[in-house]
Structure formats: C-alpha cells, structure tokens
Amino acid sequence: MTFNFSNFWTRLNNWEFWPWQVIYFPVFLYGIWMAIRSRSPFFFSTVNPGIEGGGMMIESKYSILKQFNPELIPKTLYMTSPGNFEELVEKMQKLDLRFPVIAKPDFGERGFMVRKMDEPEMLQNYYQQAKVNFLVQEYIDFPLEAGVFYHRIPGQSSGKITSVVVKDFLKVIGNGRETIGELLLESRRNRLY
C-alpha cells in the first residue's frame, strides 16, 4: 500500500480518525492536574452521580438501564457467567424475548463482544465462551441509530442537548466491475477507516 497524502491530511485535520491513545493523552494529563488540584483522584465521579464511577469507565450497563422507565428501553435480561443456558432460555420465554437478539457484556467499551444472535445455537456458543456477566436484549431494527449528549447542571430543573451523533455503517453499492476494496476506496470517509 502506498502513502496517500490526501488521506493523511484528511486524517490529521479530523480528530475522529486519530488513534484513541492520541486523543486521550492530553485528557489524561489534564485529569492528573485536576486530581492534584481537587485533592481527589476520583474528582470526575461527581459529573454523573447516577452512574457508578461517574461513567468514566467500567460502569454497569444494566444498572444504568434500570434507572429508565422500562417502556423506553429494549427488553433486557441480565445473565451471570458462568450460568445455565436453559435458565436463559426460560427467562427469554417469560419476557417474550425472541430472536434475533443482541448479546453484550455488562461492562464493555466501543462495541467489544457485542453480537447479534440470529438463533439459539449462536447465543449458546456466546454464553459458553463469555467469561463475564452480559445482557441479552431485544434487537431493535430501526433505520437510524444516534447518540445524544445531554447534560444538566445540578440544581437546575432542565438541561441541554449539546450534540447528536448519527451512527452509520460503512457501505458500498456494487457496480459489477470493481471489487469491494476498490469501491470502498472511492469514498473519502470509507477510505479513512
């Protein structure tokens, strides 16, 4: 693969394509400074008091979901590992949770171990291999997924939405001539991934 200055320049000017280590290094240094200044290594945990550790990392997805109205979240089962697969099947039947489902670790980051399960055998394999507690959730097949960043200052009655991120998968449309790799390279955004 040859060096492409256009890709390099685009990457350099769009921090979303930078390695996470580069992005978080200055945040890490600033965090050390704030910990010294506030005399507490966990100063950040007061930002999200409803989430263990302030949502910085290693928070339980299930404990966060339990804070919402059940009508606003997908049907969700919390499963411990190791466990009994037959018990999982019984709980799914009680909840009327049908395939396909999504399985994901209760503690996880950036899509790690998140899988769509189309049939019981897939879920059973996942369950046998998972060494962590995990969630089984109703698969929601909406055409759009978005992340909404909302914040509220303590003591205020309402907050603000400060950003919305639409999540989209890479995709190409075949033309019968070019390979998938060639089609991916035609899109600037796809090329950077």
Side-chain angles (χ1 to χ4, degrees):
M1 190 163 185
T2 60
F3 178 77
N4 184 314
F5 184 77
S6 174
N7 289 350
F8 172 77
W9 186 252
T10 302
R11 231 181 251 276
L12 192 61
N13 286 302
N14 292 282
W15 66 269
E16 75 172 292
F17 298 111
W18 295 0
W20 67 267
Q21 298 92 332
V22 172
I23 293 170
Y24 286 114
F25 183 70
V27 175
F28 176 72
L29 293 177
Y30 183 69
I32 290 173
W33 166 246
M34 292 300 293
I36 292 168
R37 194 170 151 202
S38 66
R39 297 186 181 109
S40 170
F42 301 105
F43 69 94
F44 54 81
S45 64
T46 58
V47 172
N48 290 319
I51 301 174
E52 188 176 345
M56 180 63 177
M57 61 191 315
I58 313 177
E59 66 275 356
S60 166
K61 292 178 178 80
Y62 189 64
S63 68
I64 294 169
L65 287 174
K66 288 193 306 186
Q67 297 180 48
F68 287 90
N69 179 336
E71 295 175 9
L72 300 177
I73 62 171
K75 296 175 189 174
T76 304
L77 287 176
Y78 175 81
M79 299 305 298
T80 57
S81 178
N84 181 328
F85 184 70
E86 287 73 31
E87 178 187 350
L88 170 57
V89 172
E90 287 175 23
K91 287 183 176 182
M92 286 179 68
Q93 289 171 346
K94 269 187 193 171
L95 196 59
D96 194 28
L97 187 54
R98 300 176 189 183
F99 288 93
V101 295
I102 297 293
K104 63 176 87 168
D106 187 36
F107 297 93
E109 291 287 329
R110 303 172 76 94
F112 175 69
M113 284 182 58
V114 176
R115 303 284 184 274
K116 179 182 173 196
M117 306 289 156
D118 292 311
E119 54 193 39
E121 293 76 22
M122 292 174 76
L123 185 57
Q124 186 171 16
N125 288 337
Y126 185 93
Y127 198 22
Q128 290 169 345
Q129 294 173 7
K131 305 293 185 223
V132 296
N133 299 342
F134 66 97
L135 307 179
V136 178
Q137 290 184 309
E138 173 182 21
Y139 175 66
I140 308 290
D141 190 20
F142 288 160
L144 182 69
E145 180 182 354
V148 179
F149 187 63
Y150 168 86
H151 69 273
R152 180 180 59 82
I153 305 296
Q156 292 184 351
S157 60
S158 64
K160 295 179 182 177
I161 294 174
T162 55
S163 70
V164 176
V165 176
V166 176
K167 299 181 179 188
D168 196 12
F169 290 106
L170 298 178
K171 54 186 156 234
V172 295
I173 298 173
N175 59 17
R177 294 181 309 277
E178 296 171 291
T179 67
I180 292 175
E182 291 168 338
L183 291 168
L184 282 169
L185 290 175
E186 288 179 11
S187 162
R188 183 183 73 90
R189 185 164 194 81
N190 291 353
R191 202 170 44 232
L192 294 173
Y193 281 99

